[in-house]
Amino acid sequence: MQHVNIVEVGPRDGLQNEKQTIDLATKLALIQRLADSGLRTIEAGAFVSPQWVPQMADSLAVLQALDLSGPCNYPVLVPNDKGMDAALQAGVREIAVFGAASEAFSQKNINASISASLQRFESVIKRADHAGIRVRGYVSCVVGCPYEGAIAPRKVAEVARALADMGCYEISLGDTIGVGTPNSVTDMLDAVSAQVPMAQLAGHFHDTYGMAIANIHTALQAGIRTFDSSVAGLGGCPYARGASGNVATEDVVYLLHGLGYDTGVDLARLADTSWFIATALGREPGSKYARAVGRREA
Ligand code: HMG
Ligand code: MG
């Protein structure tokens, strides 16, 4: 059976976009439940400015409470050298730098042009490399940007290539505002895979227009074997009205198991986890799967 890797981004990409702040104990319980569901890569926080993203302000406390030498990998986002200082202090095994294929989005998200951001990442990646920390690279706005509209696949390929050349072991391609459809995703993947091998690429789809599962299926057929997703479809996007967050992990796992792939995830436990965090947020899970099976008695 072929394996597909799931990178669970709910505790980071999901919670960073939730209006309601989740307390440390609940965040840690969420991460534990995700690990108990069989997920082996769980993005646990972001060492970014607390002025920019207050929901991630407790990331050092989160990382310090986790077992960083156990079977789970807990990557964190790092935008610059200050974030790298925190990553080293926390003793993380993996970080992610995050760039964009859109100049306007790069400026709004990390207050830097694309080329200035790549310079920052170069310094971060050198330090990570020296400390034996793996680095993943994100490219945002791989299909469309809330400020610039459609993004040329060539631009995505350029940024992805630059990150791979700097030493990122994997490049996650983010449809940040969920505007992609199978044809635009195919065009983008064709351009990027001409520069970076498909085996080094991951898909990161948001579900704003309900296209994420279709786009994942398309990316699978193109050869992608790693997908980012968020339990309960947590999140949203402050830059896209009505955005509904990352594709829900339960829905992705349901698709993958139905297609005969192995994910290592126990779907029933994951659905329980989805209900756990949705209840903490005072609502229903954002995933079709968890709503369809309903909440199990504790
Ligand atoms: P800046 O204001 O240009 O930073 O922000 P600065 O270097 O001028 O410093 C200003 C102040 O911020 C200083 O503090 C610094 O110490 C502090 P002061 O002296 O005024 O008290 N500072 C920091 N504090 C904590 N951690 C740091 C840090 N750096 C500076 N690392 C910065 C630049 C990059 C910091 C800011 O723009 C930022 O934090 N941006 C992060 C935004 C973010 O997290 N966005 C969400 C993640 S990306 C995403 O979700 C997309 C993704 O999911 C893929 C997809 O869907 O497309 C990955
Ligand atoms: Mg995202």
Side-chain angles (χ1 to χ4, degrees):
M1 199 183 263
Q2 267 204 54
H3 185 80
V4 171
N5 301 313
I6 305 276
V7 176
E8 170 59 48
V9 296
R12 193 281 302 172
D13 204 1
L15 293 184
Q16 82 181 7
N17 282 313
E18 292 289 340
K19 284 194 188 70
Q20 212 174 316
T21 304
I22 289 292
D23 62 64
L24 180 61
T26 309
K27 243 185 214 188
L28 290 172
L30 168 65
I31 293 170
Q32 185 59 52
R33 282 168 182 256
L34 290 167
D36 292 344
S37 305
L39 289 154
R40 285 295 165 263
T41 302
I42 303 170
E43 207 171 64
F47 292 131
V48 297
S49 161
Q51 266 78 48
W52 287 59
V53 188
Q55 295 91 331
M56 292 293 109
D58 60 356
S59 289
L60 187 57
V62 170
L63 269 294
Q64 283 174 337
L66 296 173
D67 174 11
L68 300 182
S69 54
C72 276
N73 181 26
Y74 298 111
V76 284
L77 260 54
V78 167
N80 56 14
D81 275 319
K82 179 146 182 156
M84 191 63 209
D85 294 342
L88 290 170
Q89 190 189 339
V92 302
R93 291 186 347 218
E94 180 172 326
I95 61 164
V97 294
F98 49 107
S102 146
E103 281 295 347
F105 187 86
S106 181
Q107 206 65 54
K108 294 263 186 199
N109 194 40
I110 51 174
N111 207 17
S113 66
I114 294 173
S115 72
S117 74
L118 292 174
Q119 273 171 27
R120 283 182 192 171
F121 300 156
E122 201 157 15
S123 156
V124 166
I125 292 170
K126 272 195 191 127
R127 292 175 69 197
D129 201 35
H130 189 66
I133 295 171
R134 291 209 305 175
V135 185
R136 190 175 201 236
Y138 276 106
V139 185
S140 283
C141 300
V142 298
V143 181
C145 165
Y147 313 105
E148 294 183 8
I151 296 293
R154 175 188 44 80
K155 191 72 208 165
V156 185
E158 262 172 44
V159 179
R161 172 73 187 261
L163 291 172
D165 286 350
M166 276 182 209
C168 292
Y169 78 92
E170 183 169 274
I171 310 297
S172 174
L173 301 166
D175 181 11
T176 316
I177 54 170
V179 291
T181 54
N183 283 1
S184 53
V185 167
T186 300
D187 290 347
M188 182 273 295
L189 288 177
D190 283 349
V192 177
S193 61
Q195 297 294 326
V196 181
M198 202 64 95
Q200 219 180 320
L201 302 176
H204 178 112
F205 294 101
H206 285 249
D207 201 31
T208 317
Y209 298 97
M211 291 294 110
I213 289 290
N215 291 336
I216 287 173
H217 192 243
T218 298
L220 267 171
Q221 286 180 323
I224 301 267
R225 290 293 177 271
T226 300
F227 293 97
D228 305 351
S229 59
S230 171
V231 64
L234 292 178
C237 177
Y239 314 108
R241 194 149 38 97
S244 54
N246 292 85
V247 64
T249 309
E250 307 89 283
D251 294 346
V252 177
V253 170
Y254 182 81
L255 170 77
L256 293 171
H257 290 183
L259 291 171
Y261 292 101
D262 161 58
T263 63
V265 175
D266 177 334
L267 196 45
R269 289 184 91 160
L270 183 63
D272 290 344
T273 305
S274 177
W275 277 102
F276 164 79
I277 190 62
T279 305
L281 288 162
R283 56 173 156 83
E284 288 211 316
S287 77
K288 298 263 189 205
Y289 182 84
R291 287 205 304 271
V293 297
R295 189 206 308 252
R296 288 199 297 187
E297 291 308 315

